[in-house]
Amino acid sequence: QVQVVESGGGLVQPGGSLRLSCAASGFTLGDYAVGWFRQAPGKEREGVSCISSLDDMTYYTDSVKGRFTISRDNAKNTVYLQMNSLKPEDTSIYYCATVWGSRSWLKCLNGEYDSWGQGAQVTVSP
């Protein structure tokens, strides 16, 4: 079965850290650009970060720059999102998304994802 599964979400105090994992099965995640986006109830989807398929270029939306780090471990077929200095406004459901093809990087930057997982809840609260 071809799918990605997010894990690592939870409840954390402001200033704390979490690491989200996006584990792929049924395909080679390294062949895809991978993005993380978040969506809170009643709010629009927001692209958070992307990592390219070939040379691991990275992108971060302004609100998380310097706090979040995206990385991939091809041996584990997994992409990570390390989130530090978390703020209450980071509270959301975080989704891992994949993009395939020659334009995968641009598509990831534009939020044009091919598929995504079920999401992981991140709650930042005192």
Side-chain angles (χ1 to χ4, degrees):
Q1 186 175 1
V2 177
Q3 64 177 359
V4 292
V5 177
E6 301 94 336
S7 62
L11 172 64
V12 64
Q13 293 185 342
S17 298
L18 285 173
R19 188 178 77 161
L20 300 181
S21 298
C22 171
S25 59
F27 67 102
T28 302
L29 195 57
D31 293 339
Y32 291 70
V34 177
W36 288 93
F37 67 90
R38 61 190 180 188
Q39 188 165 23
K43 294 188 176 181
E44 291 190 358
R45 188 173 78 178
E46 178 187 19
V48 174
S49 182
C50 288
I51 187 166
S52 64
S53 59
L54 294 178
D55 50 8
D56 287 353
M57 289 189 297
T58 58
Y59 157 83
Y60 303 95
T61 193
D62 285 346
S63 61
V64 308
K65 281 181 182 176
R67 301 189 298 121
F68 290 12
T69 303
I70 191 171
S71 62
R72 62 165 84 233
D73 185 336
N74 289 334
K76 295 183 178 180
N77 216 24
T78 299
V79 166
Y80 303 99
L81 185 68
Q82 177 68 44
M83 305 184 295
N84 299 328
S85 302
L86 283 161
K87 304 175 181 180
E89 51 263 42
D90 295 318
T91 295
S92 191
I93 301 174
Y94 285 71
Y95 298 86
C96 170
T98 59
V99 188
W100 167 258
S102 60
R103 296 180 62 251
S104 60
W105 176 243
L106 290 177
K107 289 176 68 176
C108 191
L109 297 181
N110 289 330
E112 298 172 19
Y113 311 116
D114 296 330
S115 63
W116 49 89
Q118 84 289 349
Q121 175 69 49
V122 172
T123 303
V124 185
S125 179

